[in-house]
Amino acid sequence: MLDLLSRATPDSMPPGVNLTLGASYKSCTEINAICTIERTTLGYYPNTGINYFFAIGFGIAGFTALIIGSWKRTWSYMAYLTAGCMLELAGYAARIPLHTNPWNKSAFETQIVAIILAPTLICVSVYLTLKHVCLALNPSLSRVKPRLYPFIFVPADVSCLLLQAIGGGLAASAGQTNFKLLQHGNRVIIAGICLQVVVLLFFGLTAGDYAFRMKKWVHSLEGEGTEERERAVEIWGNKRFRLFVYAVSTAYSMILIRCIYRIAEMAGGWGNHIMQDEPSFIVLEGFMILLASLILAFFPPGIFFPQMAMTMSKSAAKKAAEKKSATEKASEVKSQGGASSEQDLERGAAGQVVESSTEGKVQ
């Protein structure tokens, strides 16, 4: 923002900006009489202790998710949660040197990008659970086919990620001289976060609707005595399954709170009073996502909802079997083709022998 002032024209800047002072900010690389802490985007020295705490916390969450996910073979759930935690770790690790030098441009950009985008990846692990809950209980109660849920929510979540990435690209391409383009980039980032809130709310409504229909079905006599009903009722009443559902619901709520906070924070533009309030950032961004990540990591489906792990393993085994079958068929076709070629050659050689013999007799 300060480099923006140094090369801007009055027409490209918002009202009230002092371009004479702005010219001095072009070379700001550390705190001094001109490049004060108040002039930075954050407006404060990030607390070193809390950022070490967050970095270590996300490292523990990511490592736990990776180990248990690999052990129980919940690959997709594990991959997105681990990736999100590692991105968060990178973001908070980048905030540590900002305490020493708030003008550290590379550290500032790293923490902004990592901390804004990481929750989008963590969301995917939450979205994957609804499909498996429906398949394990009663698929017919879902208003859409359970297997379609990942194809609805994951692309929507990726769209949020792309919008936020595009917004960051626009802000960067402003060249630190075009305030209007910088503002457009900010608006696209806000649009991405707003879309993420909409997707989260839609997911919550979908999951809530299924839970209501499932509860009503359990208390009815429909399907009484069938094996499917007995299995579904057993899972529904299982303590571990209920703990898993409560854990995912809590993590979901925390991510939603964080996204709503981010909308308010970004709405005021770069360097606004909410963005420069560290306590609100620590509570509504840091703790919300850290607790959500730890909950998802320490209440994994592989242990608390084994049906999800079984479904994932079966799906992976099915794909492996299909791939193996396709490879065997290709090899068989190839071998048959080779055998046919050899037979053709043998027939051709036999024909030549007969032809030569016939010619000899004629002569």
Side-chain angles (χ1 to χ4, degrees):
M1 181 64 181
L2 300 176
D3 197 38
L4 165 67
L5 296 174
S6 65
R7 292 183 285 166
T9 62
D11 293 335
S12 66
M13 296 304 296
V17 173
N18 189 327
L19 294 181
T20 303
L21 280 176
S24 305
Y25 299 142
K26 182 177 181 180
S27 59
C28 282
T29 57
E30 59 184 13
I31 297 292
N32 54 44
I34 296 174
C35 305
T36 62
I37 185 63
E38 291 79 14
R39 300 292 182 182
T40 63
T41 302
L42 294 179
Y44 60 82
Y45 292 93
N47 185 291
T48 304
I50 196 66
N51 287 311
Y52 270 115
F53 174 80
F54 283 143
I56 294 170
F58 281 112
I60 292 172
F63 183 74
T64 302
L66 179 64
I67 295 300
I68 298 178
S70 300
W71 171 35
K72 295 296 183 179
R73 300 179 181 275
T74 51
W75 303 115
S76 301
Y77 182 92
M78 174 268 290
Y80 286 109
L81 180 55
T82 302
C85 289
M86 292 302 102
L87 204 55
E88 290 280 3
L89 188 157
Y92 285 100
R95 284 177 69 86
I96 294 172
L98 287 177
H99 176 80
T100 305
N101 180 18
W103 286 100
N104 187 326
K105 183 180 177 182
S106 60
F108 175 77
E109 290 176 348
T110 299
Q111 65 94 25
I112 278 288
V113 172
I115 295 174
I116 285 180
L117 299 183
T120 309
L121 295 173
I122 297 172
C123 276
V124 178
S125 61
V126 174
Y127 296 147
L128 291 174
T129 60
L130 182 57
K131 163 193 168 181
H132 296 282
V133 168
C134 294
L135 289 174
L137 295 175
N138 188 342
S140 65
L141 295 178
S142 177
R143 294 187 186 275
V144 299
K145 291 182 178 179
R147 297 186 184 280
L148 295 179
Y149 283 129
F151 296 100
I152 296 172
F153 291 109
V154 174
D157 199 58
V158 171
S159 299
C160 303
L161 184 69
L162 291 176
L163 275 175
Q164 293 173 63
I166 291 170
L170 286 175
S173 65
Q176 305 297 338
T177 59
N178 191 331
F179 179 78
K180 289 183 178 179
L181 186 58
L182 187 67
Q183 288 297 85
H184 286 319
N186 188 50
R187 292 188 186 102
V188 175
I189 292 174
I190 295 173
I193 300 173
C194 287
L195 178 59
Q196 191 170 10
V197 170
V198 171
V199 175
L200 279 166
L201 288 173
F202 179 57
F203 175 83
L205 288 172
T206 305
D209 174 69
Y210 181 82
F212 174 78
R213 291 161 67 87
M214 182 64 195
K215 185 177 180 180
K216 185 178 178 181
W217 179 77
V218 167
H219 288 90
S220 71
L221 297 177
E222 185 180 344
E224 189 71 27
T226 61
E227 183 180 346
E228 290 77 9
R229 179 183 172 84
E230 290 178 0
R231 178 177 53 81
V233 172
E234 181 183 356
I235 296 172
W236 178 261
N238 184 273
K239 289 184 179 180
R240 286 197 174 191
F241 172 75
R242 287 188 169 274
L243 277 174
F244 176 75
V245 172
Y246 293 148
V248 172
S249 300
T250 303
Y252 160 83
S253 301
M254 289 178 170
I255 295 171
L256 181 60
I257 290 170
R258 173 265 177 191
C259 290
I260 294 172
Y261 158 73
R262 273 297 188 177
I263 293 173
E265 182 203 37
M266 297 296 295
W270 298 100
N272 69 80
H273 70 283
I274 299 178
M275 189 175 288
Q276 294 189 344
D277 182 52
E278 188 177 23
S280 63
F281 172 84
I282 290 172
V283 174
L284 297 174
E285 171 68 47
F287 274 112
M288 288 297 105
I289 301 302
L290 176 59
L291 290 174
S293 301
L294 289 170
I295 288 170
L296 292 172
F298 282 94
F299 289 87
I303 295 175
F304 290 86
F305 182 33
Q307 289 79 10
M308 179 173 173
M310 289 170 60
T311 305
M312 285 186 166
S313 298
K314 287 179 180 178
S315 178
K318 184 179 179 182
K319 288 181 180 179
E322 290 176 350
K323 184 177 180 180
K324 183 178 180 181
S325 177
T327 304
E328 289 176 350
K329 286 182 179 179
S331 301
E332 185 179 346
V333 170
K334 186 177 180 180
S335 62
Q336 287 178 351
S340 298
S341 299
E342 290 178 3
Q343 290 176 0
D344 290 340
L345 288 172
E346 289 176 358
R347 292 193 188 106
Q352 289 178 356
V353 170
V354 171
E355 184 177 349
S356 298
S357 174
T358 305
E359 288 178 355
K361 290 181 181 179
V362 171
Q363 291 175 352

